Amino acid sequence: MLTYKECLDLCGLEPGEVDAIAEHEHVEPIVAAALGNYLITHNGEQKIRKIIMDDIKKAEASGDTQHCAVLKQVLAHFVASHKG
């Protein structure tokens, strides 16, 4: 059986990126890792960017500046790492 860490290492995304997908889709991180892996291997980088941007907007609307700042870093890393 694979551990979550092993799945995370195999999915092609960073933990913050997986967390953003999990938050947006209201799923467990392990499911978000699988979804994220599917998206990045099937030309879904734009979808992941949109997911993270939606999370940023939600954090801004709720006044959660700390979470917003973290998500902006996650987005910057994702954009730099995934040019698709």
Side-chain angles (χ1 to χ4, degrees):
M1 180 183 302
L2 293 174
T3 65
Y4 172 69
K5 169 90 171 83
E6 291 168 326
C7 290
L8 188 61
D9 291 344
L10 293 170
C11 81
L13 296 171
E14 294 296 314
E17 296 161 352
V18 171
D19 291 343
I21 294 169
E23 177 183 336
H24 187 270
E25 298 299 316
H26 306 283
V27 296
E28 294 296 318
I30 191 90
V31 175
L35 174 59
N37 177 262
Y38 176 83
L39 290 171
I40 64 169
T41 58
H42 291 84
N43 299 315
E45 290 88 353
Q46 288 290 93
K47 174 66 175 165
I48 294 174
R49 276 190 216 109
K50 182 176 179 335
I51 285 171
I52 299 169
M53 290 186 329
D54 287 349
D55 289 347
I56 291 169
K57 289 177 189 171
K58 183 179 174 187
E60 286 174 339
S62 69
D64 191 345
T65 56
Q66 184 176 6
H67 187 48
C68 184
V70 169
L71 287 168
K72 286 180 179 180
Q73 290 176 335
V74 168
L75 180 61
H77 181 273
F78 182 80
V79 169
S81 301
H82 300 277
K83 303 292 184 188

